Amino acid sequence: TFDLPSQSKCLEYLNSQIMNEMGVNVSSRHLAQILGSLVLASELSILGALATETFSKSHYNLGRAKF
């Protein structure tokens, strides 16, 4: 195993916050599953926007287009 003090401290903090809010204990594996799900959902959203050509239109409408 690795000794990752700052990451362990962050997980400890998140766990205490979640325990206060929802009464659920979060392990590092559970946190990794949550973050992995978030990344996958984001990627699927971007792929959907690219497939329907709304990704580039949105960037153009928001003034992010490069001329």
Side-chain angles (χ1 to χ4, degrees):
T1 64
F2 295 101
D3 183 28
L4 303 170
S6 59
Q7 288 82 353
S8 295
K9 202 69 166 163
C10 288
L11 182 59
E12 183 181 313
Y13 172 75
L14 283 172
N15 200 20
S16 68
Q17 293 298 313
I18 292 171
M19 281 294 283
N20 289 339
E21 297 273 329
M22 301 176 358
V24 177
N25 190 12
V26 177
S27 67
S28 57
R29 183 179 296 268
H30 189 214
L31 183 60
Q33 289 173 339
I34 292 168
L35 295 176
S37 299
L38 175 69
V39 170
L40 179 60
S42 298
E43 291 294 323
L44 289 173
S45 176
I46 291 171
L47 284 173
L50 287 171
T52 59
E53 297 183 3
T54 56
F55 188 81
S56 58
K57 288 178 187 174
S58 296
H59 274 72
Y60 181 75
N61 290 338
L62 294 171
R64 297 180 185 161
K66 304 268 183 193
F67 293 102

